[in-house]
């Protein structure tokens, strides 16, 4: 690097992106604290057809609370993932905001009705814009780099069932062992355990599924 370029970079002010993130960052974190999850679909080619994968991610703790692998991408696969999230977080998810892209599964009547039944509300990104659902896209990206195309998988995937079984193990590892820099280099389960130990749920609330009333607490990042 030329000296002139080096000193110019050292004295240059914050970029427009850095300034925008400084303004929007606190608002986004507060939004995630207030009970927010993101959805997205991806696909994995196999010898017997395409495996479609849906993840539901808690935006604050990065926990994958629901997922589904299927040989189709109909609305029912998303509803199955919602049922898993409902089972893990509570029968009702009052105040939960479910953010997704504008795919037909997320704009369907059945999807909207199911969210209304459990007390959640839908949120859909603008058409042709992936930035506001970047977290879901990121999860899809490292799911593929770590599992689907990872070094431990030198050969092609043969069946949808193979993908489903492998995804089951990967999700467990993701939630219990994978370190996330956003969480202070701890796995989601440890982050949530610390959060819930520090801010105990109210009497009568299920301590294992406290996200039904998301704790509005100070962010725990060091």
């Amino acid at each position: 690097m030329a000296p002139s370029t080096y000193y110019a970079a050292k004295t240059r002010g914050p970029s427009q992106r850095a300034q925008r993130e400084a303004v929007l960052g606190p608002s986004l974190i507060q939004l995630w604290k207030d009970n927010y999850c993101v959805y997205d679909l991806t696909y994995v080619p196999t010898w017997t057809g395409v495996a479609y994968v849906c993840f539901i991610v808690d935006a604050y703790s990065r926990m994958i609370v629901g997922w589904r692998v299927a040989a189709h991408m109909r609305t029912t696969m998303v509803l199955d993932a919602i049922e898993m999230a409902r089972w893990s977080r509570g029968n009702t998810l009052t105040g939960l905001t479910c953010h997704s892209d504008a795919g037909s599964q997320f704009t369907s009547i059945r999807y909207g009705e199911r969210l209304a039944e459990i007390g959640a509300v839908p949120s859909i990104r603008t058409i042709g814009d992936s930035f506001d659902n970047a977290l879901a896209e990121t999860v899809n990206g490292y799911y593929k780099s770590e599992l689907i195309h990872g070094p431990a998988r030198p050969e092609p995937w043969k069946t949808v069932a193979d993908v489903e079984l492998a995804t089951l193990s990967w999700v467990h590892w993701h939630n219990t062992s994978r370190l996330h820099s956003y969480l202070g280099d701890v796995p989601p389960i440890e982050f949530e355990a610390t959060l819930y130990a520090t801010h105990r749920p109210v009497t009568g609330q299920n301590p294992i599924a406290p996200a039904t009333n998301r704790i509005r607490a100070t962010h725990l990042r060091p």
Side-chain angles (χ1 to χ4, degrees), residues 137-219:
E137 301 282 359
T138 298
V139 173
N140 287 345
Y142 63 65
Y143 162 71
K144 288 191 173 181
S145 63
E146 293 172 355
L147 176 67
I148 302 304
H149 306 303
R153 188 70 189 187
E155 71 273 4
W157 294 92
K158 296 180 176 61
T159 67
V160 174
D162 289 342
V163 175
E164 182 176 27
L165 184 60
T167 301
L168 170 64
S169 298
W170 180 83
V171 169
H172 176 75
W173 172 78
H174 174 280
N175 289 341
T176 62
S177 301
R178 189 184 194 278
L179 304 183
H180 296 253
S181 59
Y182 168 79
L183 305 179
D185 293 323
V186 299
I189 194 170
E190 183 177 336
F191 177 83
E192 289 194 350
T194 303
L195 177 66
Y196 302 147
T198 306
H199 306 83
R200 296 185 181 279
V202 297
T203 303
Q205 181 176 327
N206 182 356
I208 300 178
T212 55
N213 292 297
R214 170 66 69 199
I215 301 169
R216 291 165 176 78
T218 303
H219 199 282

Side-chain angles (χ1 to χ4, degrees), residues 59-73:
Y60 188 54
S61 70
R62 299 303 197 259
M63 179 81 75
I64 296 177
V65 295
W67 62 276
R68 179 76 165 93
V69 176
H72 60 82
M73 55 186 305

Side-chain angles (χ1 to χ4, degrees), residues 1-75:
M1 178 183 292
S4 58
T5 304
Y6 172 79
Y7 289 110
K10 294 287 286 185
T11 58
R12 188 165 49 233
S15 65
Q16 291 185 353
R17 176 178 178 179
Q19 295 177 38
R20 185 171 63 252
E21 289 180 348
V23 174
L24 297 179
S27 299
L28 285 174
I29 292 174
Q30 185 59 50
L31 176 65
W32 296 341
K33 291 179 183 177
D34 288 343
N35 215 357
Y36 195 86
C37 69
V38 294
Y39 295 59
D40 200 16
L41 298 179
T42 190
Y43 68 92
V44 178
T46 74
W47 284 0
T48 58
V50 177
Y52 297 94
V53 185
C54 175
F55 291 120
I56 303 177
V57 183
D58 185 308
Y60 188 54
S61 70
R62 299 303 197 259
M63 179 81 75
I64 296 177
V65 295
W67 62 276
R68 179 76 165 93
V69 176
H72 60 82
M73 55 186 305
R74 295 188 290 271
T75 302

Side-chain angles (χ1 to χ4, degrees), residues 120-141:
V121 294
S123 170
I124 298 177
R125 77 183 189 198
T126 54
I127 304 298
D129 175 16
S130 64
F131 293 106
D132 66 350
N133 205 26
L135 173 57
E137 301 282 359
T138 298
V139 173
N140 287 345

